[in-house]
Amino acid sequence: MSDFLQSCFLEANRSVTPGGRPNGCPVLLGCPYDGTASFRPGARFAPAAIRHASQGLESYSPNLDLDLEDISFQDLGDLELPFADQAKAFSIISSHVDTILNQNNISVVLGGEHTITIPIIQALLKHFPSVIASEAKQSSALKIIQLDAHLDLRDDYLGDKTCHATVMRRISELVGWDNILQLGVRSGTRQEWQLATNHHTIGKLDDIAHWVGADLSCTPSVYLTVDLDVFDPGVMGGVGTPEPGGWFYSDFLQFMKQLHSIHLVGLDVVELSPHYDPSGASSILAAKVVRELILLL
Amino acid sequence: MSDFLQSCFLEANRSVTPGGRPNGCPVLLGCPYDGTASFRPGARFAPAAIRHASQGLESYSPNLDLDLEDISFQDLGDLELPFADQAKAFSIISSHVDTILNQNNISVVLGGEHTITIPIIQALLKHFPSVIASEAKQSSALKIIQLDAHLDLRDDYLGDKTCHATVMRRISELVGWDNILQLGVRSGTRQEWQLATNHHTIGKLDDIAHWVGADLSCTPSVYLTVDLDVFDPGVMGGVGTPEPGGWFYSDFLQFMKQLHSIHLVGLDVVELSPHYDPSGASSILAAKVVRELILLL
Amino acid sequence: MSDFLQSCFLEANRSVTPGGRPNGCPVLLGCPYDGTASFRPGARFAPAAIRHASQGLESYSPNLDLDLEDISFQDLGDLELPFADQAKAFSIISSHVDTILNQNNISVVLGGEHTITIPIIQALLKHFPSVIASEAKQSSALKIIQLDAHLDLRDDYLGDKTCHATVMRRISELVGWDNILQLGVRSGTRQEWQLATNHHTIGKLDDIAHWVGADLSCTPSVYLTVDLDVFDPGVMGGVGTPEPGGWFYSDFLQFMKQLHSIHLVGLDVVELSPHYDPSGASSILAAKVVRELILLL
Amino acid sequence: MSDFLQSCFLEANRSVTPGGRPNGCPVLLGCPYDGTASFRPGARFAPAAIRHASQGLESYSPNLDLDLEDISFQDLGDLELPFADQAKAFSIISSHVDTILNQNNISVVLGGEHTITIPIIQALLKHFPSVIASEAKQSSALKIIQLDAHLDLRDDYLGDKTCHATVMRRISELVGWDNILQLGVRSGTRQEWQLATNHHTIGKLDDIAHWVGADLSCTPSVYLTVDLDVFDPGVMGGVGTPEPGGWFYSDFLQFMKQLHSIHLVGLDVVELSPHYDPSGASSILAAKVVRELILLL
Amino acid sequence: MSDFLQSCFLEANRSVTPGGRPNGCPVLLGCPYDGTASFRPGARFAPAAIRHASQGLESYSPNLDLDLEDISFQDLGDLELPFADQAKAFSIISSHVDTILNQNNISVVLGGEHTITIPIIQALLKHFPSVIASEAKQSSALKIIQLDAHLDLRDDYLGDKTCHATVMRRISELVGWDNILQLGVRSGTRQEWQLATNHHTIGKLDDIAHWVGADLSCTPSVYLTVDLDVFDPGVMGGVGTPEPGGWFYSDFLQFMKQLHSIHLVGLDVVELSPHYDPSGASSILAAKVVRELILLL
Amino acid sequence: MSDFLQSCFLEANRSVTPGGRPNGCPVLLGCPYDGTASFRPGARFAPAAIRHASQGLESYSPNLDLDLEDISFQDLGDLELPFADQAKAFSIISSHVDTILNQNNISVVLGGEHTITIPIIQALLKHFPSVIASEAKQSSALKIIQLDAHLDLRDDYLGDKTCHATVMRRISELVGWDNILQLGVRSGTRQEWQLATNHHTIGKLDDIAHWVGADLSCTPSVYLTVDLDVFDPGVMGGVGTPEPGGWFYSDFLQFMKQLHSIHLVGLDVVELSPHYDPSGASSILAAKVVRELILLL
């Protein structure tokens, strides 16, 4: 019945397929897991908030001159994840991402907290196996660009090895330091900053193309993980750990320009904690970021 | 009795007339109508919120070196408008603006949603009738500058011809495409962007003076409609449809400089939905915008 | 995939049919219309809030010893309604309720503001036509029980004939004064109280069975309209016009007992304005009321 | 112009005088002073919140069968009070109450914090001087009924003699212990409870008429001070110091019945701190209490 | 320095010992764990909120005529607990409770979510070992009174055996069905209600003394676990899963009377989620409950 | 016990002394006084909010490459101040700052409203007495840098000489106009702007070093007072009087660079009113400002 609400361009169970769904279309998957949040929980509410906020946005992006109505994508809805059993939660996430990849589609995961990037990368690495990049060291074919206020490079946090404060340390063990680029970072312990400095992971916006193409012996596949606290708390107050001094939307637009020449094989948008921003502006910004990134894919 | 609260520079029933009220003084009129809001209602609370917020501001503008206490203006208070009978609401608005103009004053309308600009322009056109601007086409003597995140150029929205998403389309039919300048826009459907591109309505801040004076055969009268969502949601979260990537106050100051050489014959400030910003910062920004614009008149 | 979230017992597009769907099952329909709200809008957000809140409740009612999982019902989701065109909105609502009735099901409408009861009753009257109840006067076979803080018996409000303040006056014209029972009322103008007193519409909890069976020449069909402001603002702060001195949940349980012997042919639950209650307790109470009433059907 | 908003029955500068204003009409005066609030400030916003909330109520009380439109009353608006200079603030309050009394009207003061009752009583005592009630002791002709969760009988609080925690101690010094009746109290220090017990100030609802008429040698004039925290925080969360276990509206109705036979010569309603209750239900309950009390006068 | 803030009667690191600390004094321990919250997290903020709220209450209880300043108690502050490693979190909680018991003191634990009762009971059972209550069955000497809206008797929830929905099932395995009394319950699955009915765990307020003394062959030691959602959401909106139809403060007072004759050996107060109640009334009610219970010990 | 929460780097009663506490270490003192707030009170809650917010920040500053764990500082907690007795409140503040200075430490005061800077400066002037700066005029050795949106140069406000609107006028009388530098100012009356212009107090970011060293005959000691409303309301909505058009964090970083060459002898951070920003972002920004300034000392 055409009278029913359809104005939300992101919605669970939606399958948009103009002209038959080809391979390689973005598939949204909500992972409302926030079991390790140490400061302010609530990322579990993010996927629903992003879908709701998308009602206030157009499906057309004047910046990219592209419209969600002209492309194929699907929204699988939200996984039901046990908060107190991380291993099981990770296993569920990993297997669903694996299924998406097996269907030759691109996973676009809505967190949840940043920790969920670990099982996603684990699933991706099955499809983008390690290669010999040089004589001296082995490297994966998967490169990771991280937008984040925090380095997330602790080895453990209160004894916990896999939590939002250690996520990039674990991922460095999966893909190697050379395959990590950190943008927008402005917080960490002294030890984390020394690690990042030693391994040259902290980049600048105009480094991206150079960094990605540094190893020309293979076509680099890039995974993008967006911790929304990369934005300034003034425009993104609804996150678990706001950190002053971040990006505004103009910085994100500049980043988007850098992405044009890059081959993205998956992405996640994490750490929105919508209840902390009663204006809803954080959720709307998150939804706009998701729209732009889907269109770019 | 001098002990009663008078610190609010904008207040209903206030009539400030140092040295006798001359012609051409600004007259504030609150139009708390939000009957067509599709996403988040609440613009009806805006006039009261702007008046309350003005308590926290000075009446003096260091930017303009002008003080509200040195000029004449009046605040008529808020109209009582039937939400479900748009035609009647528009008629009430239009007739009150007409009365203000008949007294040779300048209407400064506090919305309410953007739709109210339609009856205001209808009233103004009686006083600024159409002229022959060139051989090829007729044009009104009234030019419209629109500050807005959205183009508002749909022909209809859910079958509705006069709502906040179609307001500038209706106004284009009243004054002609050549008399519309859109600033700060960053959202619309593909069709709206094509219309705006075809008719060259989207301008830049340093275009204003040139655009206004383009037709030198008559002295252009300019009406300014400020949809507050032109501002970034970071500084103006309390609007019906926040759109990331907007103006900060420094952009508005730059716009104000452009206005110095322009003859404003009326203005409105619309779409504040104050309940969405519990910090009150949105209402205070709206009040400061109103203060600066009144002083400029 | 069984991992996806299914814990919400009320959800759009859900069709629960253990053992094949028989006739007479409840069908939920969201009507997010709040175009005439005079004081505080936001009832448009109610259906989504009630569905979300139902996640925090069990599907089993210890009070009734019934479980939603054991009965058949369907949730059609929300209609998309034009706020500024009441006639069209009413027509859409009326035709959908008509469709539900044609399928021999029972409409359970989630408002939206109280005004939506008018087109619902109009649709119902096609299926429950008027009969000759006595020699002296004609009467419909449809009786209306209204739970409400307000009489809603104005003839017009600011000249508007069909708005939330006039809804029961309009319905009295459709079904006759004798077929209206008002419970929980505690606010109105002097004129409204005189009308209600003259027509004996204000009842008490233990009057219900007597009132319904008063006319024994036909089997009375009863429609129930629940304006949630019947509850005390202490437990239901999230409504458009809270009125102190209302029901607590124990009063509603007492009312439920009275309903056991009554033949309900439809119901609506209206006027939740969820944003006014950040605790979510209002939405949860609304969801529990809906659960109990569906189970009772 | 009849189109302007007039639906708020309490509003600054309103003067309602059907048939000429007689003596003895209620005069509202807002005293937004909260300079000594120790826990949660914000009572300064109460008068404006009560006026705004009154928009959502009818002017007619079905409980009393009286309508504000049928009686005379005036709303003087809010005094501008210096928060850091209590002596000056008290002097301003006292002199305005004095003026109201000189005009043979009845002051209905909207606080502000409870401390403001002190200057009000000081002004009243000029008009209701002390009399010889019995041989043994002198007593004022003014009796005070206090609705409150707290005894407010400390001698000082942090060395401060005149603050919200000492207000009734100061008043006991003005009118004598015998002239104070405390209802709804449920909090205090051990010392305060001993004082109240020794002086028999704590009463019950059905004691009122007896207590007022105890001294039959004069016609007792009664002043009523309503600290809104007498209500349960469930229905009145927006106060400075909520105390669980308080009144619901049914208790207030029972109190109202007791007042019928009593000669009220003034009243105040204090300690609403509206920002703490985003649902607005506290302000609406305060407005309804004010409406009922004005009608009773 | 006496100028520093000391008005909070519950505060971390406080040790109040008038006249030397005897054995058996209450020791507060904050356990801010909410790792399994399925609906609305935030119980981790409860201990801090309860301490803050206690600033607005007196240390004296007129109900009990007892003052916290006259008794000995200590507040150990909050444990730092890893949210994603439940086993470790439980072990930390259990060992701290054990230490308190070894010092012959009484643990008063502030949750956190209800799950924390499991390690507390495990620690207590070392000090209150099982005894032979009758020939037919073994029973612990520890009886549990649970105040709760929910039965919490599921065997697992999403496969999770130890979470807030299964806590009383696990405890039934530790102490036996006969030693559990559930008060205030009004929600559960059909299976949970059948279990509770079969084992006669659901009691009424006036059953308590009878139930506790049922087995007279030993002096019964009673542990009290207070899930704050036993209260009605109207007075306790700030909990993880509000359930309409609960207790008001008068019910709690009635419960307190029943406790006088009972030997309490420990208690916890859990599930406050303070951010959901911006009025703070929920935290204040929680603090008052804690004050009354400490005084009763 | 190492299990207890210690993640908050700012906390009352904390004394961090790696390697023995030398002279000259920063000592935090909370002064929760907001007795003169004219628009929106709540600065009394600021010290607690800043300490809580510091839990979400690291102790290490990548900007300065310094870590709070490597320096000595102490947090004395909050003073208990009588709101209605300003003289007494000022005396308590002044004497505690004096004690800190006598111990050769540096006072870092967390307000509270801006007025508290007056007693702080009074205490400092005992330790930094006036000197003969030139033949023509006497001057203190203490220079004041003020970050603020408002000039605060009124002579009185509603007759009040010492309130948040007059604080810098009073301080000008203590240290002389030449020793005041105002940065970030954008609001004031016409009279205040004339005063500031005449006395050349309004500076720019790159003027600081020049201004401080202008008088080379003595080593200038600089006191810094940070009214947090110097920041834009978009990133600092939680202040008493937000003023659009302010600093973002990048401006503060630029200011920090200017401070490197300057000898700070004390500082305060005032006017945070945390309840107005439910996202907590304002408190986090305040905590980060405090962290950076402590590290700089």
Side-chain angles (χ1 to χ4, degrees), chain E residues 157-175:
Chain E
Y157 185 73
L158 305 180
D160 194 347
K161 287 281 202 172
T162 47
C163 72
H164 70 105
T166 68
V167 56
M168 293 311 294
R169 182 71 166 269
R170 292 294 88 75
I171 286 173
S172 77
E173 295 161 0
L174 295 172
V175 303

Side-chain angles (χ1 to χ4, degrees), chain E residues 4, chain F residues 27-31 75-77 79 93 96-97 100 108-110:
Chain E
F4 285 91
Chain F
V27 175
L28 271 74
L29 179 68
C31 292
D75 184 348
L76 295 179
L79 292 172
I93 294 170
H96 280 88
V97 171
I100 293 170
V108 176
V109 178
L110 306 180

Side-chain angles (χ1 to χ4, degrees), chain E residues 86-99 101 107 115-130 142 144 162 167 170-175 223 268:
Chain E
Q86 193 185 69
K88 186 173 172 195
F90 277 20
S91 162
I92 294 173
I93 293 170
S94 194
S95 85
H96 281 88
V97 172
D98 193 44
T99 301
L101 292 167
S107 69
T115 326
I116 63 165
T117 306
I118 297 173
I120 297 171
I121 296 296
Q122 287 169 332
L124 276 161
L125 284 178
K126 289 199 253 173
H127 298 260
F128 299 92
S130 60
L142 193 64
I144 315 284
T162 47
V167 56
R170 292 294 88 75
I171 286 173
S172 77
E173 295 161 0
L174 295 172
V175 303
Y223 182 83
D268 60 61

